[in-house]
Amino acid sequence: MSGLDDNLLDEADETVRVRFVVNGRKVACEVAPRDTLVDCLRNALELTGTHAGCEMGACGACLVQLDGRAVHSCLMFAVQADGATINTIEGLTESGLIADLQAEFHRRNALQCGFCTPGMLINAHELLSQTAQPSREDIRDALSGNYCRCTGYEAIVDAIDAVAKAHSENGGAT
């Protein structure tokens, strides 16, 4: 190989150290500059609740909270999140709101195969954190970037609506 080819191979094998606060814990890992955040979370940090679906930001299975906002982790390079605070579905399970959403999804059979559920819950959590009593139209709009092939969405909307109503009736606690 020529010197140029050797340099390209060396660059392709380079890794970058990134640091995050993930689910309240400081972590660091070595990633290739081209590694997506979803791949880093799943492979390097073994947080498999975040799913890689379409890898184009269309299905919502890869949603995580990055500095408090829902983002598609398949559309971000891990190096772009260096220094960020990230919450995956595993990290949100301690929250009363997420626990209530999970219970209501289960009660209403709104999680059949479960592949889309973590992204749905991330979006629902963000919506209910910002809007105390969203309309069913607001809920559908918030979920418009999440694909589900099993439930037909009505049970999901019902579950989110029920949690929103319960939280507003009880002053934010169920």
Side-chain angles (χ1 to χ4, degrees):
M1 283 193 177
S2 71
L4 179 60
D5 290 337
D6 290 340
N7 288 339
L8 288 175
L9 288 176
D10 289 342
E11 289 176 15
D13 292 335
E14 286 183 23
T15 60
V16 177
R17 187 168 190 77
V18 291
R19 293 176 175 83
F20 320 109
V21 175
V22 179
N23 301 332
R25 189 173 57 108
K26 291 181 180 181
V27 297
C29 52
E30 296 289 325
V31 297
R34 68 186 174 279
D35 287 347
T36 62
L37 181 56
V38 69
D39 289 334
C40 176
L41 293 169
R42 288 183 61 79
N43 301 331
L45 300 178
E46 298 181 354
L47 295 168
T48 57
T50 303
H51 296 148
C54 68
E55 297 190 28
M56 298 183 306
C59 73
C62 69
L63 286 172
V64 298
Q65 285 184 345
L66 181 87
D67 294 330
R69 298 287 303 167
V71 299
H72 292 90
S73 61
C74 74
L75 295 180
M76 288 189 74
F77 293 115
V79 295
Q80 291 175 291
D82 188 34
T85 298
I86 300 165
N87 284 310
T88 67
I89 193 65
E90 292 94 342
L92 291 176
T93 57
E94 299 302 315
S95 158
L97 179 57
I98 218 62
D100 294 343
L101 284 163
Q102 288 172 320
E104 197 63 25
F105 268 54
H106 183 265
R107 191 174 85 69
R108 293 177 180 269
N109 200 28
L111 47 71
Q112 291 176 16
C113 85
F115 191 81
C116 70
T117 305
M120 293 279 188
L121 290 169
I122 294 281
N123 259 348
H125 182 272
E126 183 169 0
L127 173 66
L128 297 183
S129 296
Q130 295 173 356
T131 307
Q133 185 56 57
S135 67
R136 292 178 70 80
E137 184 178 318
D138 293 335
I139 294 168
R140 284 186 184 93
D141 187 54
L143 298 178
S144 64
N146 294 86
Y147 290 152
C148 176
R149 293 188 171 132
C150 301
T151 66
Y153 298 96
E154 202 60 29
I156 295 168
V157 173
D158 290 344
I160 296 167
D161 187 48
V163 170
K165 286 177 179 167
H167 271 250
S168 72
E169 289 170 4
N170 296 318
T174 57

